[in-house]
Amino acid sequence: MSDVKLAIVYYSATGTVRGMAERLAATGESLGAEVRLRQVERTPTGGEKAATDEQAAEAEEAKGAAGVTADDIVWADAVLFGSPTRYGNIAGQLKVFIDSLGAQWGAGQLADKVYAGFTSTSTLHGGQESTLLALYNTIYHFGGIIVPPGYTDPSKFVDGNPYGVGHVAGQGDRPLDGVTFTALDHLVTRVVATAKKLTA
Ligand SMILES: Cc1cc2nc3c(=O)[nH]c(=O)nc-3n(C[C@H](O)[C@H](O)[C@H](O)COP(=O)(O)O)c2cc1C
């Protein structure tokens, strides 16, 4: 479908958002995009705990995943940012990374790219939409092109989040499922297709 350069940049404490990012990466690659899957450095936050032993093991493994740098954003035609919802906002760790991009912002290197977001909460709704909107506040300042899913596919009437993709993880007892995977696939397909048009 494309040789679009796609950066998937996420923070995840207990593995849910990481699983979402991995799905986006796999689908993005299947679409022909060149994908960089990058995690923001994990640092402890009060209240975080792996809900299951399996998630704890996954989170431990993720420590070895490639860390994000500013170059990953500059390089990309499209960027998907993922974060757990924290009090209806993105995680501070992702915000610290975004705040480190001042030089690239000043040089205009963050503008004119496609952006969208994904998140995970413990509770139903739980601030998913406010998290995505908070993320998008930053993208306006970048001069980025936000490509939300809207209701551009029948599947969006099932997951019901026109702002991006959100998964309700419960206490870690609600793993990623078909509804979320379908929503992620739709988002990355739309983002890659739009970026391809912009880079043509
Ligand atoms: C400090 C903190 C704040 C949180 N705030 C919310 C919240 O506002 N709404 C919610 O439903 N879950 C909240 N959660 C739960 C996480 O969003 C949820 O566990 C998420 O699935 C974790 O994603 P991860 O596995 O990728 O780390 C919070 C968790 C922490 C540690």
Side-chain angles (χ1 to χ4, degrees):
M1 180 178 174
S2 75
D3 53 1
V4 164
K5 298 187 185 91
L6 172 66
I8 299 164
V9 177
Y10 69 95
Y11 182 78
S12 183
T14 54
T16 303
V17 172
R18 184 166 73 91
M20 298 172 81
E22 288 172 345
R23 175 68 175 216
L24 290 165
T27 303
E29 281 175 355
S30 77
L31 294 168
E34 188 180 345
V35 175
R36 289 189 185 180
L37 178 62
R38 299 288 187 263
Q39 72 164 340
V40 173
E41 187 184 3
R42 294 178 67 248
T43 58
T45 303
E48 276 179 2
K49 66 177 174 61
T52 66
D53 289 346
E54 190 181 347
Q55 280 184 326
E58 283 182 2
E60 198 61 33
E61 265 176 39
K63 285 180 182 169
V68 66
T69 68
D71 174 67
D72 295 317
I73 312 298
V74 172
W75 165 85
D77 302 312
V79 182
L80 287 163
F81 281 119
S83 172
T85 287
R86 294 274 166 86
Y87 310 124
N89 210 320
I90 62 171
Q93 291 89 344
L94 177 59
K95 185 65 162 60
V96 167
F97 169 68
I98 288 172
D99 288 359
S100 77
L101 300 174
Q104 291 74 26
W105 168 80
Q109 294 175 309
L110 308 179
D112 305 333
K113 302 172 188 295
V114 169
Y115 294 89
F118 57 103
T119 188
S120 169
T121 54
S122 178
T123 57
L124 186 61
H125 308 299
Q128 290 186 355
E129 294 181 353
S130 62
T131 297
L132 295 170
L133 290 169
L135 169 68
Y136 296 160
N137 277 338
T138 296
I139 307 307
Y140 288 109
H141 288 250
F142 286 0
I145 301 157
I146 299 167
V147 176
Y151 290 92
T152 56
D153 186 81
S155 66
K156 294 307 296 181
F157 291 90
V158 179
D159 80 274
N161 190 335
Y163 299 87
V165 177
H167 181 73
V168 180
Q171 299 303 310
D173 55 348
R174 296 178 66 167
L176 299 177
D177 56 17
V179 170
T180 298
F181 285 140
T182 299
L184 290 166
D185 290 349
H186 171 256
L187 180 70
V188 69
T189 300
R190 184 167 160 79
V191 159
V192 169
T194 305
K196 186 175 172 62
K197 285 180 197 163
L198 286 169
T199 56

